[in-house]
Amino acid sequence: MRSFQTKPETRPAATLLASLLLVLVAAANAPAADYEPKQEYQPGDVVTAADGNRYEAIAKVVGKTPATDDGAAWQLAEVLKPTILDVPGRFKTIPQAWTFVEASQIRDGAEVVLEVAAGNHPIAAPLTLNHAAGDRITLRGGGKQPEDTVLQFASADGLIVSNAYRLVVQNITLECNAKEPGTGLLLTAGSLVKATVCRFVDFATGCHADGNATLIAESCSVESPRGLAGFEVTSSGHANLARCVAKAGRKNVPGNGNHGFIASDCSSMHCIECRAEGWSDGFRGFTSSSIVLNNCNGNGNDWGASIWWSSTLRASDCVFQKNRYAGIGIFSATAGAIQGCRISDSEKGVLVSGPAVAGFFLRPSTMTNCKIGIQAINGAYVDLKKEPRFNRVNRPFAVQGGLTLKEAFWGTH
């Protein structure tokens, strides 16, 4: 007599995997037990501390509160509540505080502030601050103003953010004490930094966003007699700057000189109420880049603003004063709109060198105390939809090259 056995029921592999994932997710979201002071914890144990955040033990520990630990026994695992980590205080140094937070998860609605107390803080090496939720992390000075909290770097570079990470920086000064200065704030590879009310002192370059990185800065300043650039974006970098200042760049730099604000190699920069003083170029667009200036000042430079090699400029209601060569220089590029600008005390108001085009639109610009108002050379063209006003200008218009005045200048003139 034959016997029959029922084949055990099997579940598809996909169903098993889905079930396993649900178990893992449920375990990850399960609330950790509250910390108990008298309990002994082993490495890997996770607890909820008095500050509402979760901590993981990294050593055998008993009686050491996670919410006040400096990273010797506990590691911050998950941030659920707004948290301030004070330096010095709970942590002796910024790198120590950063190590404590860098492996943590930061939930929506939570944030971590690394608050550095007022005073001077010597730092030996660059700070590389990278975190997937870096837009919820703020490096902040604890003084009333950025001058109160100074990070003094013995290294060439200061703060580095890379690999598409993010960070917020507020109310702090970064200062270079190295013999050969580098970059104060360096962003690379798609990273993003928001800087508010910060100072970058004595670096060769104050802030540099490279490789599709983005800098958003408000009320920041770069001050450096050793400066090559104040605010710089390169290689498809982007910058949105408001009320930022770049000053005290050194003169007679070999090569292309130095620049208060510069966008190059397919980059873009938008400046609102920014000021550049003491550079070869106050504002500069180079190699297929764009510069937009609103209510900006370029004073005491060689060139107030200049654009080169297929770059574009839009300047609205700007002031260019006491610049050595010209308020605005356009070289094989396009100034799509110059409107409502005031240019004074320069050899030339605007110099256009072809193949190039300068356009004057909407609101008339004013040029005062210049030898030449607008000069077009090497086949350049000037579109005068709104003819500028000239005060104490020896020659309002000048042409050098094969074009006649009528051919080079058109519009209302």
Side-chain angles (χ1 to χ4, degrees), residues 16 49 72 105 107 114 119 122 152 189 207 213 237 286 343 345 405:
L16 289 173
Q105 296 184 56
R107 295 299 185 185
L114 278 62
Q152 298 175 319
C207 301
F286 197 74
I343 302 173
D345 303 292
L405 182 64

Side-chain angles (χ1 to χ4, degrees), residues 77-97:
E78 188 173 15
V79 182
L80 301 172
K81 304 289 185 180
T83 300
I84 296 178
L85 306 178
D86 54 325
V87 182
R90 181 174 176 180
F91 301 91
K92 293 180 180 180
T93 66
I94 297 172
Q96 185 184 14

Side-chain angles (χ1 to χ4, degrees), residues 227-231 246-253 255-263 269 275-286 291 293 297-308 320 323-331:
L228 294 174
F231 298 85
K247 61 182 180 180
R250 64 185 180 185
K251 294 289 189 179
N252 301 320
V253 177
N256 289 324
N258 55 33
H259 322 289
F261 299 79
I262 176 172
M269 179 177 284
R275 188 171 79 249
E277 300 177 4
W279 305 85
S280 296
D281 298 89
F283 301 87
R284 181 181 175 102
F286 197 74
I291 298 276
L293 307 178
N297 283 263
N299 301 334
N301 309 286
D302 287 340
W303 302 84
S306 73
I307 52 172
W308 298 73
F320 301 106
N323 297 291
R324 181 178 178 185
Y325 298 119
I328 298 175
I330 304 159
F331 304 92

Side-chain angles (χ1 to χ4, degrees), residues 308-309 330-333 351-357 375-381 398-403 408:
W308 298 73
W309 312 125
I330 304 159
F331 304 92
S332 300
L351 172 63
V352 191
S353 177
V357 177
Q375 184 173 32
I377 66 175
N378 300 325
Y381 294 92
V399 175
Q400 179 181 331
L403 297 177

Side-chain angles (χ1 to χ4, degrees), residues 359-371:
F360 291 80
F361 300 102
L362 294 178
R363 297 178 297 282
S365 296
T366 302
M367 301 182 195
T368 304
N369 198 30
C370 301
K371 291 182 180 179

Side-chain angles (χ1 to χ4, degrees), residues 127 151 153 155-161 169 172-176 181-188 193 195 198-210 215 217 220-234 239 241 244-250 258-262 269 279:
L127 293 175
L151 307 187
F153 289 90
S155 56
D157 297 328
L159 179 60
I160 300 173
V161 182
V169 187
I172 203 163
T173 295
L174 278 64
E175 180 180 279
C176 182
T183 302
L185 172 59
L186 177 61
L187 296 70
T188 66
V193 170
C198 294
R199 297 170 66 235
F200 304 91
V201 178
D202 217 16
F203 289 93
T205 300
C207 301
H208 184 183
D210 178 73
L215 171 66
C220 293
S221 67
V222 173
E223 307 158 28
S224 178
R226 303 192 286 178
L228 294 174
F231 298 85
E232 181 175 26
V233 290
T234 58
L241 311 174
C244 292
V245 177
K247 61 182 180 180
R250 64 185 180 185
N258 55 33
H259 322 289
F261 299 79
I262 176 172
M269 179 177 284
W279 305 85

Side-chain angles (χ1 to χ4, degrees), residues 41-272:
Y41 292 97
Q42 304 296 322
D45 288 343
V46 177
V47 299
T48 298
D51 61 2
N53 297 319
R54 295 176 182 173
Y55 293 82
E56 180 180 348
I58 57 176
K60 183 184 293 186
V61 57
V62 60
K64 195 165 188 179
T65 306
T68 59
D69 183 61
D70 63 358
W74 296 94
Q75 178 69 49
L76 186 60
E78 188 173 15
V79 182
L80 301 172
K81 304 289 185 180
T83 300
I84 296 178
L85 306 178
D86 54 325
V87 182
R90 181 174 176 180
F91 301 91
K92 293 180 180 180
T93 66
I94 297 172
Q96 185 184 14
W98 182 258
T99 300
F100 188 72
V101 74
E102 66 180 347
S104 66
Q105 296 184 56
I106 305 175
R107 295 299 185 185
D108 292 345
E111 64 173 349
V112 177
V113 176
L114 278 62
E115 183 156 294
V116 185
N120 295 331
H121 302 270
I123 298 177
L127 293 175
T128 301
L129 305 185
N130 299 325
H131 196 288
D135 52 349
R136 300 170 193 166
I137 299 176
T138 299
L139 177 64
R140 183 174 73 193
K144 293 182 179 180
Q145 55 192 4
E147 291 85 351
D148 295 339
T149 308
V150 182
L151 307 187
Q152 298 175 319
F153 289 90
S155 56
D157 297 328
L159 179 60
I160 300 173
V161 182
S162 61
N163 299 322
Y165 289 116
R166 301 186 173 202
L167 187 69
V168 180
V169 187
Q170 295 177 351
N171 193 43
I172 203 163
T173 295
L174 278 64
E175 180 180 279
C176 182
N177 288 337
K179 184 177 180 180
E180 295 295 331
T183 302
L185 172 59
L186 177 61
L187 296 70
T188 66
S191 57
L192 184 149
V193 170
K194 295 181 180 179
T196 306
V197 197
C198 294
R199 297 170 66 235
F200 304 91
V201 178
D202 217 16
F203 289 93
T205 300
C207 301
H208 184 183
D210 178 73
N212 203 35
T214 299
L215 171 66
I216 301 173
E218 181 177 350
S219 301
C220 293
S221 67
V222 173
E223 307 158 28
S224 178
R226 303 192 286 178
L228 294 174
F231 298 85
E232 181 175 26
V233 290
T234 58
S235 301
S236 300
H238 312 278
N240 293 319
L241 311 174
R243 293 173 293 282
C244 292
V245 177
K247 61 182 180 180
R250 64 185 180 185
K251 294 289 189 179
N252 301 320
V253 177
N256 289 324
N258 55 33
H259 322 289
F261 299 79
I262 176 172
S264 68
D265 303 316
C266 304
S267 298
S268 64
M269 179 177 284
H270 187 184
C271 300
I272 300 174

